[in-house]
Amino acid sequence: GQVAAAVKAKAGQSVLVVGHSNTINAIATALGGPKIADLCDGEYDQIFVLHLVEGAPARFARLRFGAPTLDRGCPQMRQN
């Protein structure tokens, strides 16, 4: 909740939020984005972009950057 409030206080500005594998979902949903499954601890190639415009639904994009994560021991990665 505190992260979402800090982001909303910067309305009209670009804000970078960096989280851990198990915090991204809570931050995204608190800002009006979709529910995201927790990431694996070793998953570092994911970027989530949430575009917020007052009075409109949040726009969401999931992107990959850098070398792909190959942690096949993680259940989420086996689904990809």
Side-chain angles (χ1 to χ4, degrees), residues 64-75:
R64 289 187 178 241
F65 180 81
T69 300
L70 299 175
D71 181 3
R72 296 295 174 203
C74 174

Side-chain angles (χ1 to χ4, degrees), residues 21 39-45 64 67-80:
S21 59
L39 300 172
C40 298
D41 288 338
E43 194 170 4
Y44 299 107
D45 61 347
R64 289 187 178 241
T69 300
L70 299 175
D71 181 3
R72 296 295 174 203
C74 174
Q76 292 94 321
M77 294 303 296
R78 287 194 295 259
Q79 294 173 5
N80 290 338

Side-chain angles (χ1 to χ4, degrees), residues 1-13 15-17 27 31 52:
Q2 292 176 337
V3 173
V7 170
K8 290 176 181 177
K10 300 290 184 180
Q13 301 178 41
V15 178
L16 172 66
V17 177
I27 294 168
L31 290 168
L52 307 175

